[in-house]
Amino acid sequence: MSAIPRQSSVFRFAPSPNGPLHLGHALSALLNQHMATSLSGRLLLRIEDIDLTRCTPEFEAGIYADLEWLGIGWERPVRRQSEHLAEYQASLDTLIARGLVYPSFMTRGEIRAYVAATEAEGQPWPRDPDGSPLYPDDDLRRTASERRELLASGLKHAWRLDMRRAMEELDAPLFWDETGDGDRGRVAADPRAWGDVILSRSDAPSSYHLSVVLDDALQGVTHVVRGLDLFHSTAVHRLLQVLLDLPTPIYHHHRLVTDSDGRKLSKSRGDTGLSALCERGFSAADIRKLVGL
Ligand code: GLU
């Protein structure tokens, strides 16, 4: 009897080099390593550096050093998203050609002012699961010739998913399989909560949402292990997977590491980084204990 080949499990840790890694990243990387090892699977490292304005080679070098210090090994070569922008653009182009994506011209400041003006009249404006206002539909309602003119004028623009049309492409309810620390089992996905999400902007040629689903598929990722802060984004990822005919990994969203005030650690607030802890004499074993492993 011939043995049935077992599909091997593929995990990935996918940090962005826009700040030093902190304890939250350590938990994510160590859990990925632990789960990959327990399933005799592979562990990939992906550098998510599409935001060219915030990512630096120094932070990227820090990621490699911190992971080595933690005793985490990964396969080489590492995929760096900044080296694959043309691939993300090609997928975006297919969505544009299918009429599922449209150019939007409002800046962040204009959106804020628009929403504030509407709310000043007593009408609450809908927010996405991260608390940002949904995009107003003025650009969505433009005619094809208006769009052509605005694009030709060189006005800065982002490409947004037309959420309503995208949802019409579905022929079955969206869900994903979740094994993490929040809701578990078959989770219903409602991407409409995010409104018309950005898939590409003028200063970053692909969005996190688009590049993450393309890379997970391209790299054969079977298990996505990441923080609970990305739980609700998974609804958008599931929608893009259906639209682009990509496979769906199993998702495991783990608890977040919080500071003494119960706030999530963040790079931008300058929370204690792993290299700083190393310099203060902490060992990799101490870090495991600190993150509760
Ligand atoms: N690059 C993302 C971050 O650093 C993580 C993306 C993911 O794991 O899906 O927060």
Side-chain angles (χ1 to χ4, degrees):
M1 203 169 67
S2 63
I4 301 168
R6 272 189 40 205
Q7 192 206 5
S8 85
S9 305
V10 181
F11 291 74
R12 86 322 189 253
F13 176 55
S16 298
N18 55 12
L21 293 192
H22 55 57
L23 288 171
H25 297 104
L27 174 60
S28 223
L30 288 164
L31 268 182
N32 268 290
Q33 181 194 45
H34 173 76
M35 292 172 73
T37 307
S38 62
L39 289 177
S40 307
R42 298 163 53 201
L43 177 59
L44 312 178
L45 172 64
R46 185 165 73 227
I47 300 294
E48 300 211 325
D49 58 349
I50 40 173
D51 185 348
L52 308 172
T53 60
R54 293 171 64 217
C55 295
T56 69
E58 291 73 29
F59 287 135
E60 183 177 334
I63 290 173
Y64 302 131
D66 290 345
L67 293 180
E68 261 168 37
W69 176 64
L70 283 176
I72 293 174
W74 63 90
E75 289 185 16
R76 270 78 166 178
V78 166
R79 183 172 174 88
R80 299 172 71 240
Q81 291 189 324
S82 57
E83 292 168 357
H84 300 276
L85 300 181
E87 294 162 45
Y88 310 132
Q89 182 67 47
S91 288
L92 179 71
D93 288 343
T94 64
L95 294 173
I96 295 173
R98 286 161 64 190
L100 294 171
V101 171
Y102 67 93
S104 65
F105 301 93
M106 283 170 90
T107 62
R108 285 197 189 102
E110 284 167 348
I111 301 171
R112 261 198 307 277
Y114 186 105
V115 169
T118 312
E119 292 194 325
E121 286 166 15
Q123 265 174 280
W125 190 266
R127 314 260 155 178
D128 71 22
D130 282 348
S132 297
L134 300 196
Y135 194 67
D137 65 2
D138 302 42
D139 285 325
L140 180 63
R141 287 192 271 105
R142 288 188 194 286
T143 62
S145 68
E146 271 181 324
R147 278 182 191 155
R148 264 197 307 276
E149 253 170 59
L150 286 168
L151 288 174
S153 76
L155 194 61
K156 273 197 173 181
H157 60 280
W159 291 94
R160 289 182 181 267
L161 189 65
D162 179 341
M163 186 56 78
R164 193 186 51 80
R165 289 194 67 174
M167 292 300 289
E168 284 168 6
E169 298 265 309
L170 301 180
D171 48 23
L174 266 189
F175 64 86
W176 76 86
D177 289 324
E178 173 70 46
T179 62
D181 297 331
D183 286 349
R184 281 180 167 213
R186 190 149 280 203
V187 176
D190 185 10
R192 286 169 305 185
W194 292 95
D196 291 352
V197 284
I198 287 190
L199 295 191
S200 153
R201 64 171 92 239
S202 54
D203 58 0
S206 176
S207 70
Y208 158 63
H209 296 309
L210 182 61
S211 43
V212 84
V213 295
L214 289 169
D215 283 353
D216 284 339
L218 189 109
Q219 297 189 287
V221 170
T222 57
H223 293 72
V224 170
V225 178
R226 61 187 179 194
L228 268 169
D229 51 339
L230 292 170
F231 183 89
H232 292 291
S233 296
T234 310
V236 175
H237 302 171
R238 284 294 299 116
L239 175 58
L240 289 174
Q241 284 159 359
V242 173
L243 296 178
L244 296 166
D245 200 16
L246 305 173
T248 311
I250 293 169
Y251 288 90
H252 183 103
H253 292 93
H254 59 74
R255 65 190 161 79
L256 300 176
V257 180
T258 50
D259 65 13
S260 48
D261 298 328
R263 289 178 311 176
K264 176 190 144 191
L265 301 185
S266 87
K267 288 175 184 162
S268 48
R269 277 211 324 273
D271 292 295
T272 313
L274 295 180
S275 56
L277 289 168
C278 173
E279 272 162 32
R280 282 168 54 196
F282 285 79
S283 68
D286 295 330
I287 300 296
R288 282 174 191 268
K289 273 195 222 114
L290 277 176
V291 299
L293 291 177

